[in-house]
Amino acid sequence: MAFLRRLIVTVLGLAVAFALVLAALSVFISPEAVREEAVARARSLTGLDVVVRGRSRLGVFPHLQFELDDVSFVSPTDEGGAPLAVADRVVGELDLWRLLRGQVWADEFTLVRPRVTLVRRQDGSENWAATAGGEIGGAILST
């Protein structure tokens, strides 16, 4: 009985300690810093300019994540044109161990309610051609 009680106390103590670490991270890590890093990473991956018009938030439950509201993906060569893609929200799961080392890193991005507009212009160019400049587009074109 004493062993079971010690086990329960230990597990609860670890859970509380983990929750406190997550809460501390959400206080000490700036949502704006995460926003800047997420935008830079998304631009690197897609080759598109990323514009966030909404707010930035950090969350700790059910896992450590960030949320960016009202996000547009625009071709850098398409001045004044419609965005290639728009999402109501972009959610990314953050890597806890990298955060503890001072690095902001998202393992994955999820677009919530995305809308994609593909356009072939009068001159024959496409609004999605800029994506070839990103890591994803470059990988697709090299296969």
Side-chain angles (χ1 to χ4, degrees), residues 22 25-26 29 58-66 92-97 99:
L22 289 179
L25 282 175
S26 69
I29 296 174
L58 293 175
V60 293
F61 294 106
H63 44 77
L64 192 58
Q65 66 183 18
F66 67 88
E93 187 172 339
L94 295 168
D95 185 325
L96 175 62
W97 303 115
L99 278 175

Side-chain angles (χ1 to χ4, degrees), residues 123-142:
D123 65 3
S125 63
E126 300 100 0
N127 68 336
W128 65 89
T131 60
E135 294 175 31
I136 295 171
I140 291 170
L141 291 176
S142 68

Side-chain angles (χ1 to χ4, degrees), residues 10-141:
T10 302
V11 169
L12 286 175
L14 289 173
V16 168
F18 185 69
L20 289 174
V21 167
L22 289 179
L25 282 175
S26 69
V27 170
F28 294 114
I29 296 174
S30 161
E32 293 308 313
V34 172
R35 174 187 187 142
E36 290 173 16
E37 289 294 325
V39 165
R41 182 68 178 141
R43 181 181 176 135
S44 172
L45 288 170
T46 64
L48 300 169
D49 288 337
V50 180
V51 179
V52 181
R53 291 188 182 87
R55 64 184 183 155
S56 307
R57 294 184 302 285
L58 293 175
V60 293
F61 294 106
H63 44 77
L64 192 58
Q65 66 183 18
F66 67 88
E67 295 181 4
L68 307 174
D69 291 340
D70 192 11
V71 181
S72 299
F73 297 85
V74 182
S75 171
T77 60
D78 196 12
E79 295 179 19
L84 175 66
V86 176
D88 289 350
R89 180 174 299 124
V90 174
V91 179
E93 187 172 339
L94 295 168
D95 185 325
L96 175 62
W97 303 115
R98 288 190 182 194
L99 278 175
L100 292 173
R101 293 190 307 246
Q103 301 171 336
V104 177
W105 186 264
D107 290 327
E108 62 183 56
F109 291 94
T110 303
L111 303 179
V112 178
R113 288 186 291 285
R115 294 164 305 284
V116 178
T117 304
L118 302 177
V119 176
R120 178 165 289 150
R121 299 180 196 93
Q122 295 278 355
D123 65 3
S125 63
E126 300 100 0
N127 68 336
W128 65 89
T131 60
E135 294 175 31
I136 295 171
I140 291 170
L141 291 176

